[in-house]
């Protein structure tokens, strides 16, 4: 594999600098993750308190 | 600039040797894993007896989480230091010495574990069926503990070796910022020095004399607490090198640049500060440690979510940058512009995704109240197979596809095979991890050869337990297949000698937001280490004091220190001590 | 959007296997049962499809095949 193919494989078609880069896709993914986590957090209530009786410490 | 293997042949030799040791451990541990998954699900339990299961389990644990991970990471760190500072090892004999010590220590421990399979002859008394956690009063042959000690001292010398390189570099470049990879290695090693102190004290001062017969007993709660002093931060010792891969390699593979160098440094500083004072969260059900101390450990643990969430943001933003440079568009369309054909990239992304899921089961484990529901069940096993077993292990295997050409000087055998391997691991682990979590919720215990009892019917929230067992076994088989592909790949790559030379090294692209943006104080590792020490003292002094004063002294009064009646006196005396301190 | 290449198909099918595994549980909990036979058969077909797609991946990758 030569360095030329390396460049093609990177497939970079444009340079995006610090100020032009707006990571909206990252925001979208992280929001989805938080929605899932939040849903699971609510679900936990059913698992812990309604499913298995009292937790004895 | 030359390929690493040609530019630093001596260092590359050590890196290759360390990786070789890691993969031997992976092969042994993987074989044990296959035996276990078939044995305890009941699909094939005639290969080993239930008694030998614990030998297999010990070998699986030690080989995977101590030898495989740590051998790989010392090799990777050696590369990171040498490459980022651009200088040879200060004294290659020291470098070879620490590697040799780690091998010696591993061999000593491995012999005693393997002795567990032999019931007669000269090895009959040599065994170490103590599991990876070696809780007293489970007792191993002295050689087992000595081997662990030698191994850990080897890693300490490795850290010293890397600090020496940094000091020498600093002398020649007094005005330059510490390179990011060096920063990551050094903060990780400082964390490791603090963390491994606990297990070193436990092994050297208590368990070795005890196994040699010098002491009659040990305070089992004390050695257990010292184990977890090390036992939780050690997971960050596995994870931080993987974070380095995600921060350094993934943006490069994606065709982008690291989003922010300062954020990466902050994450590593947070790990240095917060990793150690958390271990008690593994002991939520241990009587003899007051609830207040457990609560403190929980608080510290929840703070530790922060660096991982920061990492999720920084790494995803970095690969998104790559995707957009490659022409990606839209809120989600950019995902299709990522280089999914590269096994290194795909493997690490899947590992990261699995880590996001495991993060949630980790939050459950860390919560004091809900932990009681899952403690000592298969849930926990599911959790750490998704964290160390995938986030770490899959990242390591995937990174190997990128890393191997750097240290051998020749290309890997096949990307297609690599892709098949990482995808298979992902699917296998989803099956096994998911079913383990569910089986744990149904009450199936961990660390048990044959978890069937006449009086107990496991009641899953949905589906029969038999189905979960099948999924665990199937997942385990797929994971083993994935390992076979991985090793086949390594073998085939090494037969490719001279066929295709590795690409001329690509430099790691500069971050979008570089170190010049990072406040100077971030590099003040002395400050961060001091804060870490203070936090450790706050979290551990009182519980350790109460364990010693109320638990029958340094050596315990009997094996029965951990008994339920013990809770109340411990709580009251803890309060006394606390009141005494405050007053 | 471009049609996905073989790598894309393999990846999507891998995720489909995962989705089948997870959703059967989720559906079961809300009362919709999928029999075990079709479930494993379905997951197996997806897995085989993914493997087949991988065989179509060219060894020397170009940006178009990704």
């Amino acid at each position: 594999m030569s360095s030329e193919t390396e460049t093609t494989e990177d497939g970079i078609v444009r340079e995006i600098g610090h100020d032009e880069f707006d990571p909206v896709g990252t925001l979208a993914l992280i929001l989805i993750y938080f929605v899932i986590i939040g849903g699971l957090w609510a679900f936990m209530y059913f698992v812990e308190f309604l499913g298995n009786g009292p937790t004895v410490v | 600039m030359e390929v690493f293997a040609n530019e630093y042949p001596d260092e590359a030799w050590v890196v290759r040797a360390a990786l070789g040791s890691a993969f031997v451990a992976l092969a042994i541990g993987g074989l044990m894993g296959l035996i276990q998954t078939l044995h305890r699900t009941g699909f094939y339990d005639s290969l080993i007896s239930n008694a030998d299961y614990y030998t297999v389990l010990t070998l699986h644990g030690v080989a995977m989480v101590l030898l495989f991970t740590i051998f790989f990471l010392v090799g990777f760190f050696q590369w990171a230091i040498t490459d980022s500072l651009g200088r040879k090892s200060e004294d290659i004999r020291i470098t070879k010495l620490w590697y040799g010590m780690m091998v010696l220590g591993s061999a000593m421990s491995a012999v005693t574990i393997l002795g567990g399979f032999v019931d007669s002859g000269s090895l009959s008394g040599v065994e170490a069926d103590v599991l990876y956690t070696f809780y007293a009063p489970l007792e191993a042959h002295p050689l087992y503990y000595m081997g662990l000690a030698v191994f850990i001292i080897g890693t300490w010398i490795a850290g010293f070796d890397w600090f020496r390189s940094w000091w020498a570099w600093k002398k020649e470049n007094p005005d330059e910022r510490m390179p990011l990879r060096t920063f990551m290695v050094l903060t990780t090693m400082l964390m490791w020095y603090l963390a491994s102190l606990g297990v070193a004290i436990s092994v050297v001062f208590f368990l070795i004399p005890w196994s040699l017969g010098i002491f009659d007993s040990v305070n089992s709660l004390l050695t257990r607490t010292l184990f977890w002093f090390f036992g939780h931060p050690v997971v960050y010792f596995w994870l931080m090198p993987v974070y380095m891969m995600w921060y350094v390699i993934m943006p490069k593979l994606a065709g982008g640049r690291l989003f922010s160098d300062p954020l990466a440094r902050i994450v590593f500083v947070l790990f240095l500060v917060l990793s150690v004072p958390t271990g008690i969260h593994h002991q939520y059900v241990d009587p003899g440690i007051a609830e207040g101390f457990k609560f403190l450990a929980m608080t510290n643990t929840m703070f530790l979510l922060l660096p991982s969430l920061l990492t999720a943001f920084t790494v995803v933003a970095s690969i998104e940058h790559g995707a957009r440079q490659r022409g990606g568009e839209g809120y989600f369309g950019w995902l299709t512009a990522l280089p999914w054909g590269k096994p290194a990239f795909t493997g690490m992304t899947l590992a990261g995704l699995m880590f996001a899921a495991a993060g949630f089961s980790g939050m459950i484990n860390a919560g004091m109240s809900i932990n009681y529901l899952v403690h000592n069940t298969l849930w926990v096993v599911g959790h750490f197979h998704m964290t160390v077993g995938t986030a770490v292990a899959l990242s390591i295997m995937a990174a190997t596809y990128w890393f191997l050409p750097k240290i051998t000087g020749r290309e890997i055998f096949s990307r297609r095979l690599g892709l098949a391997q990482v995808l298979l691991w992902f699917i296998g682990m989803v099956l096994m991890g998911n079913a383990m979590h569910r089986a744990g919720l149904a009450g199936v215990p961990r660390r048990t050869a044959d978890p069937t009892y006449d009086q107990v019917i496991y009641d899953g929230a949905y589906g029969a337990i038999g189905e979960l067992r099948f999924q665990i076994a199937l997942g385990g088989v797929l994971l083993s297949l994935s390992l076979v592909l991985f090793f086949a790949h390594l073998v085939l790559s090494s037969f490719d000698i001279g066929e295709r030379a590795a690409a001329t090294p690509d430099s790691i692209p500069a971050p979008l937001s570089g170190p010049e943006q990072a406040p100077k104080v971030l590099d003040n590792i002395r400050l961060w280490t001091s804060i870490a020490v203070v936090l450790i003292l706050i979290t551990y002094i009182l519980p350790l004091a109460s364990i010693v004063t109320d638990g029958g002294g340094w050596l315990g009064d009997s094996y029965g220190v951990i008994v339920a009646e013990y809770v109340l006196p411990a709580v009251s005396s803890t309060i006394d001590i606390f009141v005494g301190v405050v007053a | 959007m471009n049609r996905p290449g073989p790598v894309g198909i393999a990846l999507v099918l891998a995720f489909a296997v995962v989705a089948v595994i997870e959703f059967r549980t989720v559906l079961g909990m809300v009362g919709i049962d999928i029999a075990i036979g079709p479930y494993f058969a379905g997951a197996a077909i997806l897995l085989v499809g993914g493997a087949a797609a991988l065989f179509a991946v060219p060894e020397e990758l170009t940006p178009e095949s990704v």
Side-chain angles (χ1 to χ4, degrees):
Chain A
M1 196 166 67
S2 67
S3 51
E4 286 84 13
T5 53
E6 181 78 16
T7 332
T8 344
E9 270 172 32
D10 280 350
I12 295 173
V13 294
R14 60 185 168 204
E15 290 284 339
I16 300 175
H18 180 270
D19 294 337
E20 305 95 79
F21 179 47
D22 187 14
V24 286
T26 304
L27 178 69
L29 289 186
I30 286 182
L31 283 181
I32 290 176
Y33 182 60
F34 280 171
V35 167
I36 293 173
I37 289 278
L40 286 171
W41 185 69
F43 179 62
M44 201 168 80
Y45 170 78
F46 296 93
V47 175
E48 185 179 12
F49 296 108
L50 300 184
N52 285 272
T55 299
V56 181
V57 178
Chain B
M1 201 171 142
E2 274 226 74
V3 178
F4 183 81
N6 302 333
E7 196 171 0
Y8 305 101
D10 292 333
E11 287 76 7
W13 183 89
V14 175
V15 176
R16 282 198 301 273
L19 261 60
S21 309
F23 296 143
V24 168
L26 178 64
I28 296 171
L31 180 64
M32 297 303 122
L34 180 63
I35 294 172
Q36 277 168 266
T37 194
L38 295 178
H39 184 90
R40 67 164 282 155
T41 52
F43 281 89
Y44 188 75
D45 55 7
S46 48
L47 184 67
I48 53 167
S49 67
N50 276 350
D52 280 342
Y53 177 86
Y54 299 96
T55 309
V56 169
L57 179 54
T58 306
L59 192 52
H60 178 70
V62 172
M64 288 302 208
V65 301
L66 288 182
L67 305 185
F68 161 56
T69 50
I70 296 181
F71 268 118
F72 187 92
L73 77 89
V74 292
F76 188 66
F77 276 3
Q78 182 62 50
W79 165 80
I81 285 283
T82 308
D83 197 54
S84 69
L85 294 178
R87 61 185 298 127
K88 292 181 189 301
S89 178
E90 298 315 300
D91 184 346
I92 194 71
R93 287 171 305 175
I94 302 279
T95 311
K96 288 182 175 168
L97 171 76
W98 58 252
Y99 170 68
M101 283 186 73
M102 288 174 67
V103 172
L104 176 69
S106 316
M108 286 161 70
S109 297
V111 165
T112 57
I113 299 173
L114 289 169
F117 290 117
V118 184
D119 291 331
S120 59
S122 54
L123 270 180
S124 64
V126 180
E127 51 184 33
D129 300 337
V130 290
L131 312 190
Y132 149 72
T133 44
F134 50 88
Y135 289 153
L138 288 176
E139 188 178 6
H141 190 274
L143 199 61
Y144 174 77
Y145 303 115
M146 292 174 186
L148 288 182
V150 171
F151 181 83
I152 286 177
I153 293 169
T155 62
W156 288 353
I157 301 175
F160 171 73
D161 194 19
W162 300 326
F163 266 97
R164 250 182 104 190
S165 291
W166 149 245
W167 290 325
W169 183 88
K170 181 78 187 158
K171 207 168 272 173
E172 290 168 21
N173 305 276
D175 299 324
E176 285 198 52
R177 284 302 283 266
M178 195 188 300
L180 182 61
R181 280 176 286 167
T182 303
F183 182 85
M184 290 171 163
V185 171
L186 298 187
T187 42
T188 306
M189 289 315 291
L190 283 169
M191 188 282 292
W192 175 242
Y193 282 124
L194 295 175
S196 50
L197 213 55
V199 78
I201 290 171
S202 163
V203 164
V204 172
F205 291 106
F206 298 106
L207 297 174
I208 291 179
W210 172 60
S211 63
L212 287 171
I214 298 170
F215 303 153
D216 289 336
S217 64
V218 290
N219 182 336
S220 53
L221 184 57
L222 177 63
T223 52
R224 192 179 157 98
T225 307
L226 287 173
F227 176 85
W228 284 118
F229 182 98
F230 140 96
H232 193 71
V234 74
V235 311
Y236 301 109
F237 194 44
W238 310 324
L239 190 65
M240 286 158 80
V242 168
Y243 275 17
M244 192 206 285
M245 295 170 193
W246 294 355
Y247 280 111
V248 173
I249 306 176
M250 277 180 78
K252 157 83 196 156
L253 290 173
R257 292 155 65 185
L258 175 61
F259 186 68
S260 165
D261 171 292
L263 261 182
R265 284 178 203 247
I266 287 171
V267 165
F268 275 71
V269 163
L270 283 172
F271 275 122
L272 167 60
V273 169
L274 288 167
S275 285
V276 183
T278 53
I280 288 176
H281 74 219
H282 288 255
Q283 300 176 285
Y284 283 151
V285 302
D286 281 19
I289 298 176
E291 295 293 306
F293 301 142
K294 294 174 180 171
F295 188 83
L296 191 57
M298 173 173 79
T299 315
N300 289 342
T301 308
M302 295 300 182
F303 272 115
L304 257 180
L305 289 170
L306 183 64
S308 287
L309 292 173
L310 280 175
T311 298
F313 170 75
T314 314
V315 172
V316 175
S318 304
I319 62 175
E320 183 188 352
H321 178 251
R324 302 227 180 263
Q325 292 208 127
R326 291 160 62 96
E329 299 288 350
Y331 281 99
F332 299 105
W334 59 275
L335 288 167
T336 61
L338 288 167
W340 296 110
K342 297 179 180 175
F345 178 82
T346 304
M348 282 195 270
T349 311
L350 294 176
L353 186 67
M354 189 75 96
F355 194 58
F360 181 74
S361 66
M363 293 176 211
I364 296 288
N365 298 341
M368 250 174 95
S369 57
I370 200 158
N371 179 281
Y372 291 95
L373 196 68
V374 295
H375 201 93
N376 269 343
T377 69
L378 214 49
W379 165 288
V380 178
V381 185
H383 167 75
F384 64 67
H385 277 86
M386 290 168 78
T387 47
V388 65
T390 303
V392 174
L394 182 57
S395 289
I396 285 180
M397 291 188 279
T400 302
Y401 297 126
W402 176 84
F403 192 44
L404 215 52
K406 310 257 171 292
I407 57 165
T408 61
R410 53 180 181 268
E411 268 309 315
I412 57 162
F413 173 71
S414 156
R415 296 178 157 194
R416 192 191 287 160
L417 191 57
L419 269 178
Q421 188 262 320
V422 296
L423 286 177
L424 200 56
W425 188 275
F426 180 68
I427 294 171
M429 196 55 90
V430 169
L431 264 168
M432 191 174 92
N434 178 54
M436 278 178 164
H437 278 96
R438 285 174 59 202
L441 285 178
V444 178
R446 63 186 287 207
R447 295 176 172 137
T448 307
D450 181 15
T452 48
Y453 307 95
D454 292 339
Q455 317 87 317
V456 178
I457 297 164
Y458 297 116
D459 186 18
Y462 173 72
I465 200 75
E467 185 190 327
L468 293 180
R469 290 211 175 102
F470 180 71
Q471 287 191 7
I472 292 173
L474 181 63
V477 169
L478 291 181
L479 291 168
S480 307
L481 270 177
S482 173
L483 273 186
V484 169
L485 293 185
F486 180 70
F487 288 116
H489 202 154
L490 287 182
V491 171
L492 289 169
S493 298
S494 63
F495 278 126
D496 243 13
I497 300 173
E499 286 287 309
R500 286 176 297 168
T504 0
D506 22 40
S507 50
I508 307 284
L512 277 175
S513 168
E516 66 284 351
Q517 312 279 341
K520 275 254 165 27
V521 68
L522 277 179
D523 287 4
N524 188 347
I525 47 184
R526 200 163 286 169
L527 171 70
W528 305 119
T529 312
S530 318
I531 294 177
V533 170
V534 170
L535 270 181
I536 292 169
L537 292 178
I538 291 174
T539 318
Y540 267 107
I541 286 266
L542 290 181
L544 284 176
S546 103
I547 287 166
V548 172
T549 52
D550 304 326
W554 293 100
L555 300 175
D557 45 4
S558 72
Y559 289 157
V561 170
I562 302 178
V563 283
E565 301 91 69
Y566 195 66
V567 179
L568 281 178
V571 173
S572 64
S573 64
T574 307
I575 292 170
D576 288 347
I577 294 172
F578 190 67
V579 169
V581 169
V582 173
Chain C
M1 210 168 80
N2 298 331
R3 278 192 308 125
V7 174
I9 292 173
L11 202 66
V12 166
L13 288 181
F15 275 92
V17 174
V18 170
V20 166
I21 295 166
E22 299 285 353
F23 280 128
R24 178 166 182 272
T25 313
V26 174
L27 288 177
M29 291 178 119
V30 297
I32 304 168
D33 278 308
I34 298 168
I36 194 91
Y39 155 67
F40 271 115
I45 289 170
L46 293 173
L47 195 61
V48 171
L54 275 179
F55 274 102
V57 175
E59 272 299 349
E60 283 304 320
L61 287 157
T62 57
E64 292 74 45
S65 70
V66 178

